Amino acid sequence: MALGISEEKIKVTGDLKIDALLNRIQPEAKEKWQTLLHAEKGPLYIAGSTHTGEDEIVVSAFEKLKETSPDARLILAPRHPERAEALCSQFENSFKICRLSELTEDFEIVVIDKIGVLFELYGVSEAAFIGGSFTDNGGQNILEPVAWGTPVQYGPHMEDFAEASQEFLSRGISAQLNSAEELAETWCAIAEGKTDVEAVRGQCRQYFAEKAGAACKICDAAAKSME
């Protein structure tokens, strides 16, 4: 409107990325990863798209989680998969750790060294820490785990998804943290049943129900403009 376009010619339809995410959810993919990762052996927690300097924070929180939930396991997905080997070497003296490409059945931490699998892995996780948020990188995509109904956690930097972050915080879907200790407390609360995860999942579904449909609205608007 500031550019001179009349208000009646403007239609706000929403974010196409919402529809795209919902179309990517495949229940069979979740079942596949549950089998591959031996989900029956213990709950999985994930740290997605971590940047250098965040892995230590996540693993420290995971170590505290193991004190009260010894069967918990961690999926560590660095933003740059080429860091996988170095991460395995860094933590091999403290945990049973492996790369996804060389998956072992008794792992405590699995480091993702492949591209294109992170979205599906969010679907098998109890909780998801989102990287680029303890480091000053604006935060990575927090919509992906929420599409699966997975509670999300992140650090103080979520500028690239500020609007979604504020709404998730207000709905109780996400937690914004400042330390490994706070991340550990959040994960422990989920593991011990102190967090109503079903209520979180309900809020996730409600969010996407309210935000979905941009693709159809755009098609309808385009069709009407050509009548």
Side-chain angles (χ1 to χ4, degrees):
M1 290 171 64
L3 292 171
I5 304 298
S6 60
E7 186 175 357
E8 62 269 17
K9 291 185 177 182
I10 298 171
K11 184 174 180 60
V12 179
T13 59
D15 191 347
L16 282 169
K17 291 194 290 292
I18 298 293
D19 293 342
L21 279 176
L22 294 176
N23 286 335
R24 290 173 63 190
I25 295 176
Q26 302 293 332
E28 58 269 24
K30 180 176 180 177
E31 293 172 3
K32 175 193 72 175
W33 285 111
Q34 286 175 326
T35 300
L36 288 172
L37 298 174
H38 302 282
E40 74 282 356
K41 289 183 175 293
L44 294 158
Y45 293 75
I46 189 168
S49 295
T50 57
H51 290 245
T52 300
E54 293 182 312
D55 308 290
E56 295 83 358
I57 295 172
V58 169
V59 172
S60 177
F62 176 64
E63 190 171 19
K64 291 180 172 62
L65 172 65
K66 294 276 282 182
E67 293 175 3
T68 57
S69 184
D71 59 345
R73 294 170 302 152
L74 176 65
I75 302 170
L76 186 57
R79 177 67 175 166
H80 303 101
E82 61 269 20
R83 294 175 52 229
E85 187 62 40
L87 289 173
C88 285
S89 298
Q90 182 177 353
F91 300 114
E92 65 182 356
N93 293 328
S94 302
F95 297 96
K96 295 177 181 177
I97 191 169
C98 66
R99 290 180 294 163
L100 181 62
S101 60
E102 298 179 351
L103 188 63
T104 60
E105 187 172 334
D106 63 342
F107 74 87
E108 293 178 294
I109 299 177
V110 58
V111 182
I112 306 306
D113 57 352
K114 295 181 179 180
I115 293 175
V117 300
L118 179 58
F119 176 73
E120 293 179 353
L121 290 172
Y122 284 134
V124 299
S125 303
E126 302 294 315
F129 168 77
I130 307 303
S133 59
F134 274 124
T135 56
D136 190 1
N137 291 97
Q140 301 301 147
N141 195 336
I142 55 176
L143 293 168
E144 291 187 346
V146 175
W148 287 99
T150 303
V152 292
Q153 304 81 43
Y154 43 86
H157 297 286
M158 195 45 71
E159 293 83 1
D160 291 351
F161 293 87
E163 185 175 343
S165 171
Q166 287 303 313
E167 185 148 7
F168 291 167
L169 290 168
S170 68
R171 290 173 180 259
I173 292 171
S174 68
Q176 194 159 26
L177 314 167
N178 293 297
S179 66
E181 290 74 18
E182 291 182 4
L183 179 58
E185 289 173 4
T186 303
W187 279 359
C188 286
I190 291 171
E192 296 167 11
K194 297 177 181 177
T195 296
D196 189 344
V197 174
E198 284 307 311
V200 173
R201 295 189 191 283
Q203 285 295 324
C204 292
R205 290 191 294 269
Q206 182 66 27
Y207 172 82
F208 277 96
E210 294 173 6
K211 302 296 183 181
C216 290
K217 291 176 182 176
I218 290 172
C219 287
D220 289 345
K224 289 178 181 178
S225 72
M226 294 185 289
E227 291 178 352

